[in-house]
Amino acid sequence: MGVVNVTPDSFSDGGKYSDSAAAIDHALRLREEGADILDVGGESTRPGAAPVDIAVEMHRVLPVIEALSRRGLVVSVDTRHAQVMRAAVAAGATIINDVAALREEQALEAAASTDAAVCLMHMRGTPLTMQDAPRYADVGSEVRAFLESRVQSCMAAGIGRERLVVDPGFGFGKELTHNLQLLRHLEDLSTLGLPVLVGLSRKRMLGQLTGRAVAEREYAGIAAHLAAVARGAKILRVHDVAAMRDALAVWNAIEGDEEHHDA
Ligand code: HH2
């Protein structure tokens, strides 16, 4: 899954693709590099980010989603808002990626009214407050229990399990030790019986481990994502698609079920 941020303030690439044409070009490049899904977002959820007006968010994402879907590409919409979900699916998105796990008003109903797949992510608090000293007794079991209860709510609302994906939400209301513990025990999430998505790309934890600035965290991200794949992750949400694809080609040749044949 390649990240397409149509925002002026995303933590790693804010402002680079904030007009539709630049965002579409960027998405097409990520597709060329091997992204199977393009994740289009119009509201930054970085720590401390303020919410964006719904009309602004729609204005940012809809033309991009429309243009990419028209080309037959698989598009997910990264949004917390019911109205944006409905409009994005009408514009061609087939996946709803919600960092709030359909907890915002009407989001559950909106997702249920579509036949889109849904990624449910764990977040403690809101982007504005989530890094204010998050505390957990046992981060792994708390995140798992939260996701399990969101899966139940989805099923009660008519969203079948076959439509769901779960994500521990690295960096969303978590300190470095929480993120590491979640990653180390990622297999525990697979016991929910749903595909696991992870997004570690360029995140602060990689900076904390390497001392690198946001733009220099590509290699660190590869290591973290491969650790996640080794523990069962099925979808990787990344900015640097080409590098991740190369890493996966090597990884799968060594670890995959299929016998590798020389090209
Ligand atoms: N992380 C970000 C945004 N959306 N969605 C899922 N499912 N999992 C994640 O880990 C995740 C996500 C934050 O990264 P980014 O989009 O690069 O930054 P910003 O939120 O500042 O736009």
Side-chain angles (χ1 to χ4, degrees), residues 82-208:
Q83 241 180 301
V84 182
M85 290 172 191
R86 289 182 199 271
V89 172
T94 54
I95 304 170
I96 294 167
N97 172 29
D98 183 4
V99 299
L102 304 181
R103 283 176 299 158
E104 301 272 327
E105 212 183 328
Q106 293 295 312
L108 203 51
E109 292 80 355
S113 75
T114 72
D115 56 8
V118 177
C119 177
L120 300 169
M121 196 197 81
H122 175 272
M123 168 167 57
R124 171 68 62 85
T126 67
L128 200 57
T129 59
M130 65 191 180
Q131 290 306 111
D132 298 346
R135 292 278 169 272
Y136 298 87
D138 176 349
V139 68
S141 55
E142 286 173 52
V143 166
R144 190 184 182 288
F146 168 85
L147 291 172
E148 190 164 29
S149 92
R150 294 313 299 156
V151 169
Q152 294 306 325
S153 302
C154 283
M155 287 170 60
I159 305 172
R161 286 185 76 84
E162 71 287 351
R163 288 171 57 188
L164 300 175
V165 170
V166 291
D167 179 344
F170 288 103
F172 285 83
K174 286 139 195 134
E175 310 272 17
L176 177 60
T177 56
H178 304 135
N179 289 320
L180 288 174
Q181 205 157 330
L182 280 170
L183 185 46
R184 228 175 257 137
H185 301 290
L186 197 69
E187 295 102 331
D188 296 349
L189 268 193
S190 300
T191 60
L192 289 172
L194 297 170
V196 174
L197 183 155
V198 300
L200 290 146
S201 192
R202 301 184 184 173
K203 283 191 176 167
R204 183 183 295 175
M205 67 176 277
L206 305 175
Q208 289 168 314

Side-chain angles (χ1 to χ4, degrees), residues 6 18 20 42 53-64 84:
V6 200
S18 55
S20 306
D53 190 79
I54 303 280
V56 172
E57 190 185 345
M58 298 236 244
H59 178 75
R60 289 175 180 170
V61 299
L62 295 181
V64 179
V84 182

